[in-house]
Amino acid sequence: SSGINAEWPLRPGDKKQRKYKGPLDVISKTYREGGFRTLGKGTLVTGLRDVPGSGLFFVLYEYLISKYGESPTCITMAGGVAGVLMWFVGVPPDVIKTLYQTAPHGKYKSSLQIVPELYKSEGLSGFYKGFGPSGIRAFLANGICLLTYDLVIKTWQKLYPLANMNINHSTNEY
């Protein structure tokens, strides 16, 4: 068992055990518990999850498309693989963020305090909790999303050929 205890804010099932009555109650109680700063708790770690992961996602997707082509299969596979990489990079900061946000008020002054504690109690695998389901979902969701996007763009270009014209918006020239 982990040395880190995260209390889930909303528990399904027994309404008597629920900590919050709804979203406004979460905001109100969170503010009362720790002030305005508490409402943004974990924002920096969220950035550490999203920025590198999203950057790698698009770089890898574009690389794979340029190397293997733009067939529906290639687009789906490239989107899926890029999505899995995004979450491989993003899950460790996400685990840290979740533990930080769900810890009792005042337990940690910084999310960085969680890193050595988590590593000591669970090793490197502790930083990848939930990667299996996230990776599967990322492969499917990103592959399908990018394929759908590509098909919509290609359909739009066939239906509305004038919309494909290159327009210099700074001079309004065609």
Side-chain angles (χ1 to χ4, degrees):
S1 175
S2 168
I4 298 175
N5 182 19
E7 180 182 333
W8 292 105
L10 295 172
R11 297 182 190 111
D14 189 3
K15 290 185 179 189
K16 293 178 184 176
Q17 291 183 350
R18 287 189 180 177
K19 186 174 179 180
Y20 302 110
K21 295 176 186 165
L24 293 178
D25 193 37
V26 172
I27 293 168
S28 173
K29 286 181 179 173
T30 302
Y31 179 80
R32 276 187 296 215
E33 190 174 85
F36 185 74
R37 281 188 73 183
T38 308
L39 295 174
K41 188 176 178 180
T43 302
L44 179 61
V45 186
T46 301
L48 292 174
R49 176 194 70 190
D50 292 347
V51 172
S54 296
L56 286 171
F57 173 85
F58 287 108
V59 167
L60 181 59
Y61 175 74
E62 289 297 328
Y63 169 76
L64 293 172
I65 290 299
S66 69
K67 183 167 175 81
Y68 297 107
E70 294 188 30
S71 72
T73 301
C74 289
I75 290 171
T76 305
M77 295 300 289
V81 170
V84 171
L85 176 67
M86 181 178 90
W87 278 105
F88 183 78
V89 170
V91 165
D94 194 57
V95 168
I96 293 165
K97 173 197 68 75
T98 300
L99 293 171
Y100 183 56
Q101 289 177 326
T102 59
H105 178 66
K107 181 173 181 178
Y108 302 110
K109 291 184 190 248
S110 163
S111 58
L112 292 176
Q113 291 178 297
I114 292 169
V115 174
E117 188 177 328
L118 180 59
Y119 185 76
K120 184 179 178 184
S121 66
E122 298 187 37
L124 193 57
S125 66
F127 292 94
Y128 284 92
K129 290 180 197 171
F131 176 68
S134 293
I136 293 167
R137 181 201 51 79
F139 186 88
L140 296 171
N142 288 286
I144 292 167
C145 180
L146 288 169
L147 175 63
T148 302
Y149 173 80
D150 187 69
L151 293 173
V152 167
I153 292 298
K154 286 177 179 169
T155 302
W156 180 268
Q157 290 171 341
K158 287 178 185 172
L159 292 173
Y160 304 100
L162 289 178
N164 299 327
M165 295 176 63
N166 291 325
I167 298 173
N168 183 339
H169 292 285
S170 62
T171 62
N172 291 325
E173 294 177 11
Y174 295 93

